[in-house]
Amino acid sequence: MRTLILYPETLPNLPVLGFSNCNGKRKVQYESSEPADFKVDEDGMVYAVRSFPLSSEHAKFLIYAQDKETQEKWQVAVKLSLKPTLTEDSVKEPPEVEEIVFPRQFSKHSGHLQRQKRDWVIPPINLPENSRGPFPQELVRIRSDRDKNLSLRYSVTGPGADQPPTGIFIINPISGQLSVTKPLDREQIARFHLRAHAVDINGNQVENPIDIVINVIDMNDNRPEFLHQVWNGTVPEGSKPGTYVMTVTAIDADDPNALNGMLRYRILSQAPSTPSPNMFTINNETGDIITVAAGLDREKVQQYTLIIQATDMEGNPTYGLSNTATAIITVTDVNDNPPEFTAMTFYGEVPENRVDVIVANLTVTDKDQPHTPAWNAVYRISGGDPTGRFAIQTDPNSNDGLVTVVKPIDFETNRMFVLTVAAENQVPLAKGIQHPPQSTATVSVTVIDVNENPYFAPNPKIIRQEEGLHAGTMLTTFTAQDPDRYMQQNIRYTKLSDPANWLKIDPVNGQITTIAVLDRESPNVKNNIYNATFLASDNGIPPMSGTGTLQIYLLDINDNAPQVLPQEAETCETPDPNSINITALDYDIDPNAGPFAFDLPLSPVTIKRNWTITRLNGDFAQLNLKIKFLEAGIYEVPIIITDSGNPPKSNISILRVKVCQCDSNGDCTDVDRIVGAGLGTGAIIAILLCIIILLILVLMFVVWMKRRDKERQAKQLLIDPEDDVRDNILKYDEEGGGEEDQDYDLSQLQQPDTVEPDAIKPVGIRRMDERPIHAEPQYPVRSAAPHPGDIGDFINEGLKAADNDPTAPPYDSLLVFDYEGSGSTAGSLSSLNSSSSGGEQDYDYLNDWGPRFKKLADMYGGGDD
């Protein structure tokens, strides 16, 4: 008998006792004598099923165990008692703790090893998770029987002790008391495997380590969790009971092999509750949802919403933890509603001879889901259209049927059509559903008469006539017919196309008469056929017209004489080594053409004396020199050619023959061969035009060059110094060559005719490079009269004036000459030196004038250098 002490705060489903199978290979089934109060799990753990009070008297129940293979049975009595109330004295007394003793080792006795008791199999320690303490909580005491003679130290190793997570289990090294320091969580670690060690004070092992297994007993501390909060499923409408819909799944972090992790499902609610509040059921263990009632109709209820609950503890509503999820079941459409016409008869009208015209719009209703194969309508003409003049297309948006004319309709043949139309869906109807009468309708189509085009028959019309008919000859009558038999209309005729202008047509009766001679050889005749087009118009509203083609096959007559071909040839001065092959060209056709007869005329007599002609066959002949030598030149040889017509027609054609000197190969070697052969008038005119155009271009180029030279000579060379803010540099066509070029006659430089005195210089006008802080210097007035002397005296005079003026900048360009003449042969002025060395003047201020005056500053302010 085992005694079980229950704490007053013990909760239901808390494991209170455990049984273990000594042989792990045997399958043992447990059973409680009080299943309403206590339940034994497969692992031998005893649970309290419910909360119930215990009287002070002891309660007992039995646990049965049976081997499933050998059917061997055991039983044990379990005695329950309340834990006595703790007093101060009882608190002082430590509770009894299970003691684990190290197993005895092999000992040596009388020189032999003597085996003691077999090693102990230490059962695992079961420790509930989420314990409230107090901590540290004592579990077991580890002791060695050698502690009586030795001072031992105890320790534990493994995950939870000295390995992560460290510090969960501790041991008193002196007493060997093993304790847990904090609550455990089975969902994190379900089992701890520790090893206990015993060593002396020197660290020497005195006992073999023993294994301690601590099982964390699961508590129902986790609610079931659905994998999805919202589940979506579908079921076809009209499904039979038992049809699978979907599966919902929830998981529980608690032990799945214990009641804490055993889930059960149930449906809490269904919305809407029509046609039955219990349209679906759920397998409480697997979560499969199936239908249990008939009557699913998408047209009435398109979607159901179920609230699914998952509860652990095998669905115990009192002790189990629960959670909910939503299952949305969509009722899918099946083709259980055929399309129905909104009317039994539809009406439409169409003008005759019109195609691709919508005649009528057929409307249907279908209760199935729109824009699905079960809703999309397909229309079929089942009667009233044997020739296939109508077709019905479906509007994809409205599902209407569009009756369309695909072949022209003649009002004179059919004035009305009565069509029988059936409407179906793209997919067949569900089993057991039939098409009602409303799926068939009648379409009445009225044909409207319109004014149609007159037409010629036959078209084209072919007639055969000999060419050469005189004007005014009546050829044929070409009339058109009016298809509008029910309209009184008149037709008038006009000529639309007559390339050679040979014909005319009577506007009333359509008689065609010639107004010119018909010629088969005309370029407007192709393959002996002449085409003319005529127009027939009625007087309807609106007036209509039609065209017809008259083809005249022209029969040939012998009205064209043959001509020689080619018309030009060349031959040598002697009969050998070549001759001239000729043929005839006749615009007539057989039998009015070849074979041809070739002959030479009797006059002039030189023709037959100099030439001879030989017929090769019906189309070719050969012309040869009859005499041994004929002087080079161009000769016109007349040839009589006669065709085979009846009567035959003859013609004298001129053959231009060039007689020339030839080499051994029979080729002309004359220098004037091209001239002798003669150029055509057009070629000569083209050559002359090219020569004239070339001469005109050359003349225009010469005139342009002369005009350009005049403009260059007339260019103004005098530049007003007031218009230039820098040195007045005049570019001449020819200048002196510097100091090395002193061969010029300086006497050619004359003083300017007129010089503008400084006195009349406008006030305020000065060069931009003059220093503004000094007054303008006063120079001697220059004489306006021509100076007969050397220009050098004139320059020296100005140079002296500049040297005596301390305010003048030290460069000669200050003196601006009004006119220096053109084409000057003056030499270089670089050899002229100032009469004053300038040593008494200070030119250091030139360094402040910028980089332009750096060279000048170096020359005047640089000392001796």
Side-chain angles (χ1 to χ4, degrees):
M1 178 181 295
R2 302 188 65 173
T3 302
L4 178 63
I5 301 176
L6 295 180
Y7 292 86
E9 67 271 21
T10 300
L11 297 174
N13 303 307
L14 179 66
V16 296
L17 185 61
F19 294 91
S20 62
N21 181 12
C22 297
N23 186 357
K25 297 181 180 180
R26 305 179 67 178
K27 297 182 180 180
V28 180
Q29 180 178 1
Y30 300 95
E31 187 176 353
S32 172
S33 63
E34 301 294 338
D37 298 331
F38 299 95
K39 186 175 182 179
V40 187
D41 202 356
E42 293 180 357
D43 57 359
M45 194 64 61
V46 181
Y47 296 89
V49 177
R50 62 183 181 86
S51 298
F52 53 88
L54 285 178
S55 62
S56 59
E57 298 179 357
H58 298 301
K60 298 180 181 180
F61 66 95
L62 299 177
I63 300 298
Y64 305 100
Q66 181 179 4
D67 192 322
K68 294 183 178 180
E69 295 181 358
T70 63
Q71 302 300 322
E72 186 179 357
K73 297 182 180 181
W74 303 272
Q75 71 176 21
V76 63
V78 179
K79 180 181 178 181
L80 300 178
S81 63
L82 289 174
K83 182 178 181 180
T85 306
L86 298 177
T87 62
E88 294 181 1
D89 296 336
S90 63
V91 171
K92 294 179 182 179
E93 298 178 0
E96 295 183 1
V97 179
E98 184 178 357
E99 189 175 88
I100 299 177
V101 182
F102 281 90
R104 297 291 300 275
Q105 302 293 326
F106 290 95
S107 62
K108 191 170 184 181
H109 182 68
S110 300
H112 299 283
L113 289 175
Q114 183 177 358
R115 188 174 185 270
Q116 302 296 328
K117 275 188 176 183
R118 179 176 65 167
D119 287 350
W120 292 356
V121 178
I122 301 175
I125 301 172
N126 295 323
L127 184 62
E129 66 173 334
N130 302 325
S131 176
R132 297 182 180 179
F135 297 102
Q137 180 181 350
E138 298 176 351
L139 300 179
V140 295
R141 181 184 177 191
I142 301 173
R143 188 181 64 82
S144 174
D145 55 2
R146 295 187 180 184
D147 60 355
K148 297 178 181 179
N149 302 325
L150 298 174
S151 177
L152 303 180
R153 296 294 183 267
Y154 301 98
S155 64
V156 291
T157 59
D162 62 340
Q163 299 178 18
T166 60
I168 296 179
F169 299 98
I170 60 175
I171 189 171
N172 190 311
I174 305 300
S175 63
Q177 181 65 49
L178 180 65
S179 305
V180 61
T181 61
K182 61 181 180 180
L184 303 180
D185 188 355
R186 190 205 68 84
E187 284 70 44
Q188 294 184 359
I189 302 178
R191 172 177 292 188
F192 294 91
H193 190 180
L194 306 178
R195 303 199 78 181
H197 306 270
V199 297
D200 58 15
I201 58 176
N202 295 323
N204 298 320
Q205 179 177 313
V206 298
E207 299 283 0
N208 288 333
I210 61 173
D211 293 331
I212 301 175
V213 178
I214 301 174
N215 292 327
V216 182
I217 304 304
D218 185 38
M219 300 290 291
N220 193 17
D221 57 345
N222 291 281
R223 291 182 177 274
E225 295 292 339
F226 283 91
L227 297 181
H228 305 286
Q229 194 59 34
V230 178
W231 297 78
N232 293 285
T234 59
V235 60
E237 63 174 331
S239 297
K240 297 180 180 180
T243 303
Y244 171 80
V245 179
M246 61 189 299
T247 299
V248 296
T249 304
I251 58 175
D252 197 317
D254 292 327
D255 188 359
N257 298 321
L259 293 176
N260 298 334
M262 295 183 179
L263 306 182
R264 297 295 182 265
Y265 302 93
R266 70 190 187 100
I267 298 176
L268 296 182
S269 64
Q270 170 193 307
S273 59
T274 57
S276 171
N278 297 317
M279 295 295 295
F280 304 92
T281 185
I282 187 171
N283 187 309
N284 62 348
E285 294 185 1
T286 62
D288 294 341
I289 300 177
I290 61 175
T291 60
V292 294
L296 290 174
D297 191 352
R298 190 205 64 85
E299 286 72 36
K300 295 180 180 179
V301 179
Q302 299 182 4
Q303 183 174 281
Y304 289 91
T305 302
L306 307 181
I307 304 299
I308 310 299
Q309 183 186 61
T311 307
D312 56 17
M313 297 300 296
E314 291 187 332
N316 191 313
T318 305
Y319 308 113
L321 301 178
S322 302
N323 211 338
T324 60
T326 302
I328 299 176
I329 301 175
T330 301
V331 182
T332 59
D333 187 35
V334 298
N335 194 12
D336 57 346
N337 293 281
E340 297 181 0
F341 286 99
T342 58
M344 297 304 297
T345 304
F346 295 88
Y347 298 93
E349 59 182 20
V350 58
E352 63 174 332
N353 300 322
R354 295 283 298 276
V355 294
D356 297 331
V357 177
I358 298 177
V359 177
N361 191 12
L362 311 182
T363 56
V364 295
T365 59
D366 196 320
K367 298 179 181 178
D368 291 322
Q369 185 175 359
H371 305 290
T372 61
W375 178 82
N376 296 334
V378 178
Y379 298 91
R380 178 174 52 87
I381 300 176
S382 58
D385 185 22
T387 57
R389 299 184 180 275
F390 298 91
I392 304 179
Q393 298 178 352
T394 303
D395 189 322
N397 297 320
S398 62
N399 211 28
D400 294 344
L402 307 178
V403 182
T404 308
V405 179
V406 295
K407 293 182 180 180
I409 302 175
D410 187 8
F411 173 82
E412 286 71 25
T413 305
N414 297 293
R415 299 187 181 184
M416 178 176 290
F417 290 86
V418 178
L419 309 178
T420 302
V421 180
E424 301 173 349
N425 292 121
Q426 291 181 347
V427 295
L429 290 174
K431 187 176 181 179
I433 306 298
Q434 302 295 331
H435 284 91
Q438 291 80 4
S439 297
T440 303
T442 300
V443 181
S444 179
V445 180
T446 301
V447 182
I448 302 175
D449 189 17
V450 297
N451 188 22
E452 300 177 75
N453 298 323
Y455 64 93
F456 288 88
N459 190 13
K461 184 175 182 179
I462 302 176
I463 62 174
R464 300 171 65 90
Q465 292 288 343
E466 284 188 352
E467 64 174 330
L469 290 179
H470 299 289
T473 303
M474 199 276 288
L475 297 180
T476 184
T477 300
F478 196 22
T479 58
Q481 300 179 8
D482 193 348
D484 300 313
R485 298 196 301 266
Y486 303 99
M487 297 182 182
Q488 300 298 327
Q489 299 178 145
N490 296 325
I491 297 178
R492 296 186 65 84
Y493 303 94
T494 56
K495 185 172 63 174
L496 189 62
S497 173
D498 184 10
N501 196 23
W502 288 344
L503 308 173
K504 71 175 182 178
I505 188 171
D506 189 280
V508 178
N509 56 25
Q511 285 186 355
I512 298 177
T513 308
T514 61
I515 58 175
V517 177
L518 305 183
D519 185 7
R520 191 197 64 84
E521 289 74 31
S522 169
N524 297 308
V525 177
K526 306 297 181 182
N527 298 325
N528 303 325
I529 296 178
Y530 179 77
N531 291 314
T533 305
F534 300 92
L535 181 69
S537 304
D538 61 19
N539 58 349
I541 301 175
M544 304 298 292
S545 61
T547 60
T549 301
L550 177 65
Q551 294 183 342
I552 305 175
Y553 188 89
L554 295 176
L555 302 176
D556 185 39
I557 62 174
N558 196 12
D559 58 344
N560 292 280
Q563 299 178 2
V564 68
L565 191 71
Q567 296 180 357
E568 295 180 356
E570 61 182 22
T571 186
C572 299
E573 294 176 332
T574 59
D576 296 328
N578 59 2
S579 58
I580 300 174
N581 294 327
I582 61 174
T583 186
L585 173 64
D586 195 333
Y587 292 104
D588 293 325
I589 60 176
D590 189 66
N592 297 319
F596 301 98
F598 300 89
D599 198 2
L600 297 176
L602 297 177
S603 61
V605 295
T606 57
I607 298 301
K608 281 199 171 186
R609 184 183 62 190
N610 296 337
W611 305 92
T612 180
I613 190 168
T614 304
R615 184 184 182 195
L616 300 179
N617 54 36
D619 295 327
F620 292 92
Q622 192 173 77
L623 182 66
N624 296 288
L625 278 176
K626 189 175 181 180
I627 59 179
K628 294 183 179 181
F629 177 81
L630 183 64
E631 185 180 358
I634 298 176
Y635 298 87
E636 293 184 352
V637 180
I639 299 175
I640 302 174
I641 304 176
T642 305
D643 60 21
S644 300
N646 186 16
K649 205 170 186 65
S650 298
N651 182 33
I652 298 178
S653 294
I654 302 300
L655 175 64
R656 291 169 55 87
V657 180
K658 176 192 174 185
V659 180
C660 59
Q661 297 179 1
C662 298
D663 56 13
S664 60
N665 296 326
D667 298 328
C668 288
T669 58
D670 293 354
V671 178
D672 57 344
R673 178 178 180 182
I674 297 178
V675 177
L679 292 177
T681 305
I684 296 175
I685 294 175
I687 293 175
L688 292 177
L689 287 177
C690 292
I691 296 174
I692 294 173
I693 293 174
L694 183 60
L695 293 175
I696 292 175
L697 291 175
V698 172
L699 181 62
M700 292 176 62
F701 180 75
V702 172
V703 172
W704 177 77
M705 290 295 295
K706 289 184 173 294
R707 184 175 182 181
R708 181 182 177 186
D709 292 340
K710 289 182 180 180
E711 291 179 354
R712 180 181 297 176
Q713 295 175 2
K715 186 176 180 181
Q716 182 64 259
L717 299 180
L718 183 61
I719 302 177
D720 190 355
E722 298 179 358
D723 296 336
D724 187 13
V725 296
R726 295 189 174 273
D727 299 342
N728 292 328
I729 300 176
L730 300 180
K731 181 179 179 181
Y732 297 92
D733 293 336
E734 186 175 354
E735 296 182 355
E739 294 184 5
E740 296 179 358
D741 189 2
Q742 300 291 337
D743 296 335
Y744 290 92
D745 185 6
L746 298 181
S747 62
Q748 299 298 324
L749 298 176
Q750 299 297 329
Q751 184 178 0
D753 295 339
T754 58
V755 179
E756 181 182 0
D758 291 346
I760 62 175
K761 184 178 181 180
V763 179
I765 298 179
R766 67 171 61 248
R767 292 173 52 84
M768 297 302 295
D769 51 357
E770 291 181 3
R771 298 183 62 181
I773 59 176
H774 301 288
E776 295 183 359
Q778 299 295 328
Y779 300 104
V781 178
R782 304 170 186 173
S783 175
H787 196 286
D790 193 348
I791 193 65
D793 296 337
F794 177 77
I795 296 176
N796 290 330
E797 183 180 354
L799 181 62
K800 292 179 181 180
D803 292 338
N804 295 329
D805 184 11
T807 63
Y811 46 84
D812 296 339
S813 62
L814 176 66
L815 301 178
V816 180
F817 296 94
D818 294 335
Y819 179 74
E820 293 181 352
S822 61
S824 174
T825 59
S828 173
L829 301 181
S830 60
S831 60
L832 298 178
N833 294 324
S834 174
S835 61
S836 176
S837 62
E840 66 275 6
Q841 298 188 22
D842 184 11
Y843 296 103
D844 292 339
Y845 61 86
L846 294 176
N847 294 320
D848 301 332
W849 284 17
R852 295 181 181 177
F853 300 92
K854 184 176 184 303
K855 184 65 177 179
L856 195 62
D858 293 341
M859 294 174 58
Y860 285 85
D864 295 340
D865 295 337

